[in-house]
C-alpha cells in the first residue's frame, strides 16, 4: 500500500547532557529514510561529537497546512546600533510599543532565561506593554513542525543564493519566520542568532516580509533569541502556542528575494 502520509522528523544531538545541534524536516513517506540519514549526518558533522542523537519520526497526516513564504529583503546597515534603530522604526510602524521594543532588545541582548542564559525557545511578548506571556520563561516556546516543500526549498535556496545568501541558516530562519508570522494574533518577530560568529538577524511580519540585517548583534556575542510580539486583543496564548509547537506547516511557495536596499527607501515604502 502506498503511504500518503507526511512525517515530521526531528533530530536532537547532545554531549554530556548539553544540546549541540537540532534540526527538523517534514517529508513525504518515501523520503523518510533518506532524511533520517541526512539529519544524523548533520549531527555528526559538528565539531563537538555528540554522545547522544535522538531522532523522532511522527506522522502528521496527509495534508500539512501549506503557507507562502515571506518575501525577503536585506537592509544594508553596517553598524549594529544603527540597525537596531531601523528595527525600532519598523516595529513602531507595525504598532509595537516603544517599551515592548526596548524590552525585547534587552532580553535578546542579555539572555532571557532567569539564569541569564539564552532560552531554547522564543519569548511571547504583549506588543502594547512588553509584558512576557510565555508560560515557561526558562525554555520559551519552540516553533516546530515546519519545513520547505522539496521543490520550493530548492527554489528558495537558488533565489537566496542569487542575492548572495547561501548560508543554510537563512533559508531555515525564513521558513521558521514564515510559520511564526502566520500565527494567530502575531504582529511581528524579532530575532538574532546566539552563535558568536553569526551576526545577522531579522524582523519579520506579514506586512513587511522578512527584513534582514547583516549586523544585528556584535561579532563574538553569544546572546541571541527570538521575540514574538502579539496583539493582546486578538491573541489567545494557548492557541498560539499550540499552533507554533504542533501544527504541521509546509512552506509550499517561495516568495520574492529582493536585492539589498538602503533602510531609508525601505521605510519610505512602508509609509
Ligand atoms: N522556536 C523558537 N525559538 C527558537 C527556535 C525555534 N524553533 N530555534 C531557536 N530559537 C531561539 C533560541 O532562543 C535561540 O537561542 C535563538 O532563537 C537563535 O537561534 O541570514 O541562526 O538558531 O537571514 O542561533 C537569523 C538570520 C539567524 C538568518 C537565526 O538562530 C539570515 C539563527 P539560532
Ligand atoms: Mg544557534
Amino acid at each position: 500500500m502506498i503511504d500518503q502520509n507526511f512525517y515530521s522528523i526531528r533530530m536532537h544531538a547532545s554531549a554530556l547532557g548539553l544540546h549541540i545541534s537540532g534540526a527538523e524536516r517534514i517529508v513525504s513517506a518515501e523520503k523518510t529514510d533518506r532524511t533520517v540519514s541526512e539529519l544524523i549526518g548533520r549531527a555528526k558533522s559538528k565539531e563537538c561529537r555528540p554522545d547522544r542523537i535522538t531522532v523522532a519520526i511522527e506522522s502528521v497526516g496527509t495534508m500539512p497546512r501549506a503557507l507562502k513564504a515571506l518575501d525577503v529583503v536585506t537592509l544594508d546597515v553596517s553598524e549594529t546600533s544603527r540597525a537596531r534603530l531601523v528595527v525600532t522604526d519598523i516595529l513602531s510602524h507595525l504598532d509595537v510599543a516603544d517599551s515592548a521594543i526596548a524590552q525585547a532588545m534587552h532580553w535578546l541582548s542579555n539572555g532571557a532565561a532567569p539564569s541569564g542564559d539564552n532560552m531554547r525557545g522564543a519569548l511571547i511578548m504583549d506588543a502594547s506593554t512588553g509584558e512576557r506571556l510565555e508560560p515557561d520563561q526558562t525554555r520559551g516556546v519552540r516553533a516546530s513542525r515546519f519545513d520547505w516543500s522539496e521543490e520550493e526549498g530548492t527554489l528558495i535556496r537558488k533565489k537566496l543564493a542569487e542575492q548572495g545568501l547561501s548560508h543554510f541558516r537563512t533559508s531555515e530562519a525564513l521558513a521558521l519566520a514564515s510559520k511564526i508570522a502566520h500565527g494567530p494574533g502575531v504582529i511581528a518577530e524579532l530575532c538574532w542568532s546566539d552563535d558568536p560568529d553569526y551576526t545577522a538577524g531579522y524582523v519579520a511580519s506579514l506586512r513587511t516580509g522578512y527584513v534582514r540585517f547583516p549586523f544585528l548583534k556584535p561579532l563574538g556575542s553569544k546572546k541571541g533569541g527570538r521575540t514574538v510580539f502579539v496583539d493582546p486583543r486578538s491573541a489567545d496564548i494557548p492557541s498560539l502556542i499550540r499552533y507554533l509547537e504542533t501544527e504541521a506547516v509546509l512552506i509550499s511557495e517561495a516568495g520574492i528575494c529582493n536585492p539589498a536596499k538602503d533602510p531609508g527607501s525601505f521605510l519610505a515604502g512602508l509609509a
Side-chain angles (χ1 to χ4, degrees):
M1 195 180 82
I2 298 171
D3 181 352
Q4 307 222 325
N5 273 319
F6 281 78
Y7 289 84
S8 154
I9 305 183
R10 295 181 295 148
M11 177 279 288
H12 176 249
S14 58
L16 300 172
L18 290 177
H19 165 87
I20 47 181
S21 93
E24 66 168 89
R25 303 288 312 280
I26 292 180
V27 295
S28 54
E30 79 275 11
K31 290 175 195 140
T32 52
D33 303 38
R34 168 160 55 95
T35 305
V36 168
S37 47
E38 280 167 12
L39 291 178
I40 293 174
R42 181 158 160 174
K44 295 203 290 194
S45 73
K46 292 276 171 159
E47 273 160 51
C48 173
R49 193 146 57 94
D51 54 32
R52 185 189 189 95
I53 303 173
T54 53
V55 178
I57 307 172
E58 196 180 77
S59 168
V60 293
T62 52
M63 278 236 278
R65 179 162 166 198
L67 292 178
K68 181 171 191 277
L70 300 173
D71 293 340
V72 178
V73 67
T74 297
L75 299 190
D76 263 332
V77 186
S78 52
E79 214 187 296
T80 299
S81 55
R82 174 110 198 290
R84 291 192 186 179
L85 287 176
V86 177
V87 165
T88 302
D89 280 348
I90 293 171
L91 288 169
S92 303
H93 180 83
L94 296 169
D95 292 327
V96 179
D98 289 349
S99 57
I101 301 170
Q103 283 293 312
M105 299 264 189
H106 168 79
W107 290 121
L108 298 197
S109 308
N110 293 288
S115 59
D117 290 332
N118 297 319
M119 297 199 299
R120 289 211 50 228
L123 293 88
I124 310 282
M125 186 172 278
D126 180 326
S128 61
T129 63
E131 187 192 345
R132 286 173 63 172
L133 304 174
E134 72 282 5
D136 180 343
Q137 299 200 344
T138 300
R139 178 177 177 272
V141 175
R142 297 268 309 169
S144 183
R145 295 180 179 80
F146 60 89
D147 196 2
W148 291 96
S149 70
E150 175 115 349
E151 299 71 34
E152 297 296 301
T154 304
L155 178 60
I156 196 68
R157 285 189 292 274
K158 177 167 169 284
K159 285 181 162 188
L160 288 168
E162 283 165 6
Q163 300 303 334
L165 304 173
S166 37
H167 202 290
F168 71 88
R169 284 176 184 275
T170 309
S171 59
E172 290 189 359
L174 176 58
L176 194 161
S178 299
K179 179 177 187 186
I180 290 180
H182 285 86
V186 171
I187 298 180
E189 181 204 346
L190 173 64
C191 162
W192 62 79
S193 178
D194 54 13
D195 287 51
D197 53 4
Y198 204 81
T199 58
Y202 63 85
V203 58
S205 72
L206 292 179
R207 276 165 65 195
T208 58
Y210 180 93
V211 186
R212 312 179 59 248
F213 295 84
F215 304 99
L216 204 45
K217 74 159 193 201
L219 187 65
S221 165
K222 291 180 178 158
K223 297 297 182 195
R226 289 184 151 89
T227 300
V228 179
F229 297 98
V230 299
D231 179 345
R233 289 162 305 182
S234 61
D236 171 55
I237 302 304
S239 314
L240 173 61
I241 293 175
R242 204 175 319 116
Y243 166 79
L244 293 174
E245 292 183 337
T246 64
E247 188 171 335
V249 164
L250 257 191
I251 310 297
S252 54
E253 192 182 342
I256 300 166
C257 296
N258 293 288
K261 279 192 186 158
D262 75 276
S265 64
F266 181 79
L267 287 165
L270 284 184

